[in-house]
Amino acid sequence: MKTVSIAVLSLALAAGATGTATFAHTVAGVPAQDNAAKQRKEYDDYKKIEAEQDPAKKLELARAFFDSDPTPTYVKYVQGQVNAARYALFTRYKDAGDLANAAKIADEYVASVPETDLFFAFQLTTLAEARALKQGVKPEAAGAWAEAAKYATKARKLIVEDNRSEAMLYDSKTTTWDKVKPGFVAYLHRIEALAHFAARQNDQAEKSLLAVIETKCDAYPDVYFLLGQIHNARYDDKANAFNKLSAEAQSGEQGQKLLQEAREESKKAAEFFARGILVAEASPNKEAYKAVVANARKEMEESYEIWNDGKKDGLDEFMAGFKSTCQP
């Protein structure tokens, strides 16, 4: 994703951004002689705000400016400085991994310029994801992943349900939103899936993982591997339930039904592992997936063998059947 400079963001959004809950202002009636002096002071105050390099101090000066009940002359220019300062602070917090303060300043920016909500929702998603990844995709990190999913869900709904686009998130000179949109939506579905997976909510995780594949099937090989793990877990549940039955029940209708269901789960696991391997091997980043693919191949072979009555016969043909498409 391209980086948006403070200057570009400020210039793009300053126009029409003169209203804000934090920096409210009114126009007071004053005598003409006093008005000239007041505007001169406001100009001097504006130049001080403009010259201030520290974004936090810039916001303090801007707050004092708006508290002085200014005339309209320099309001939009000061508001432009406020926007720039807020974005600078957001970038500072984001770079420091400070999600709480980044979210707070983002809320202030969006309150002033509502059309930036998708931009900040996406940025907060990536920040929260980076924090969650440090803990791994495991139950202990469920809270961190839930935080990332909160922003991901907001961004996804803005794109899918509200049909929003955001040129500041991609290079609009070389491509179009329609072309990059599936990648954004797939990424956001994946964050939601990882949150469910970490919380051991496999049914919800499955829905989000399948949504990733449906949106952009070649984007993330790991979603296939996660689906393989989900079906392996379901195989274990069926197999354990079968093992708890008496010998008579195992050979009866209930036992045979469990065995068949377990075999089907193994087949589905093998299919997803196979598809993920093929997507990974076709990826420009296939070198990064080497270790994951090696493990997935082992799990695929084990699942296939369970489904195929303990034999590996036909495994190559089984794999070849998924080479024509990555769609479900």
Side-chain angles (χ1 to χ4, degrees):
M1 301 304 172
K2 68 177 183 178
T3 301
V4 184
S5 70
I6 296 173
V8 171
L9 190 68
S10 177
L11 289 174
L13 301 174
T18 58
T20 168
T22 305
F23 295 97
H25 61 275
T26 59
V27 179
V30 292
Q33 187 174 4
D34 293 340
N35 188 60
K38 181 175 176 61
Q39 289 202 1
R40 179 63 196 181
K41 183 180 185 305
E42 289 175 1
Y43 173 78
D44 292 340
D45 290 341
Y46 160 63
K47 296 305 290 184
K48 289 178 182 178
I49 295 167
E50 183 182 47
E52 179 56 58
Q53 297 299 304
D54 184 280
K57 291 181 179 178
K58 189 187 288 283
L59 289 178
E60 289 179 7
L61 292 173
R63 183 173 289 106
F65 174 86
F66 285 120
D67 285 346
S68 70
D69 196 19
T71 59
T73 307
Y74 300 106
V75 164
K76 69 177 180 178
Y77 302 110
V78 174
Q79 187 62 53
Q81 292 296 310
V82 168
N83 292 343
R86 281 176 173 155
Y87 186 71
L89 279 177
F90 176 82
T91 302
R92 177 187 293 179
Y93 294 138
K94 186 172 185 289
D95 291 346
D98 186 345
L99 180 59
N101 278 315
K104 180 180 178 181
I105 203 73
D107 286 344
E108 291 180 8
Y109 205 124
V110 172
S112 175
V113 192
E115 58 268 32
T116 62
D117 53 356
L118 175 55
F119 173 82
F120 284 107
F122 182 81
Q123 294 293 333
L124 290 170
T125 301
T126 62
L127 173 55
E129 177 198 18
R131 288 164 54 89
L133 282 171
K134 293 178 180 179
Q135 301 179 48
V137 186
K138 52 189 178 182
E140 296 85 344
W145 282 108
E147 186 77 3
K150 177 179 71 175
Y151 298 112
T153 300
K154 177 180 179 180
R156 179 178 57 78
K157 288 182 176 179
L158 286 169
I159 295 171
V160 176
E161 297 179 11
D162 295 352
N163 199 30
R164 295 284 296 279
S165 62
E166 183 49 87
M168 290 186 292
L169 292 177
Y170 70 103
D171 187 353
S172 57
K173 293 182 179 179
T174 60
T175 188
T176 64
W177 176 252
D178 286 343
K179 289 183 178 180
V180 299
K181 177 181 176 179
F184 279 101
V185 176
Y187 165 75
L188 298 167
H189 275 304
R190 179 174 171 272
I191 296 298
E192 293 172 301
L194 292 174
H196 291 308
F197 193 83
R200 295 181 176 173
Q201 299 167 339
N202 282 354
D203 289 347
Q204 296 95 318
E206 181 182 30
K207 290 179 182 178
S208 293
L209 291 167
L210 290 174
V212 175
I213 296 173
E214 184 178 356
T215 304
K216 189 169 175 56
C217 63
D218 60 348
Y220 299 102
D222 61 340
V223 304
Y224 294 92
F225 303 148
L226 289 175
L227 283 163
Q229 291 181 36
I230 288 173
H231 285 290
N232 267 347
R234 290 174 180 166
Y235 163 80
D236 289 339
D237 290 342
K238 300 289 184 183
N240 288 334
F242 175 83
N243 290 333
K244 291 178 180 179
L245 295 176
S246 65
E248 182 180 358
Q250 286 180 350
S251 61
E253 182 179 350
Q254 181 184 8
Q256 293 305 301
K257 183 174 182 293
L258 277 172
L259 275 182
Q260 182 59 31
E261 290 174 349
R263 290 181 72 250
E264 287 300 316
E265 292 296 347
S266 284
K267 181 183 179 183
K268 290 177 182 177
E271 289 176 351
F272 279 116
F273 284 126
R275 291 168 63 188
I277 290 168
L278 293 172
V279 170
E281 290 179 340
S283 170
N285 300 318
K286 63 180 180 180
E287 291 299 314
Y289 290 110
K290 268 191 172 181
V292 178
V293 165
N295 185 66
R297 191 177 297 276
K298 180 180 177 182
E299 293 201 55
M300 178 198 68
E301 292 174 356
E302 291 175 353
S303 297
Y304 178 84
E305 197 170 355
I306 291 171
W307 169 71
N308 200 37
D309 298 323
K311 298 176 291 185
K312 291 186 179 180
D313 298 349
L315 181 57
D316 291 341
E317 292 79 2
F318 178 79
M319 282 284 292
F322 300 107
K323 288 186 177 180
S324 61
T325 178
C326 61
Q327 291 289 356

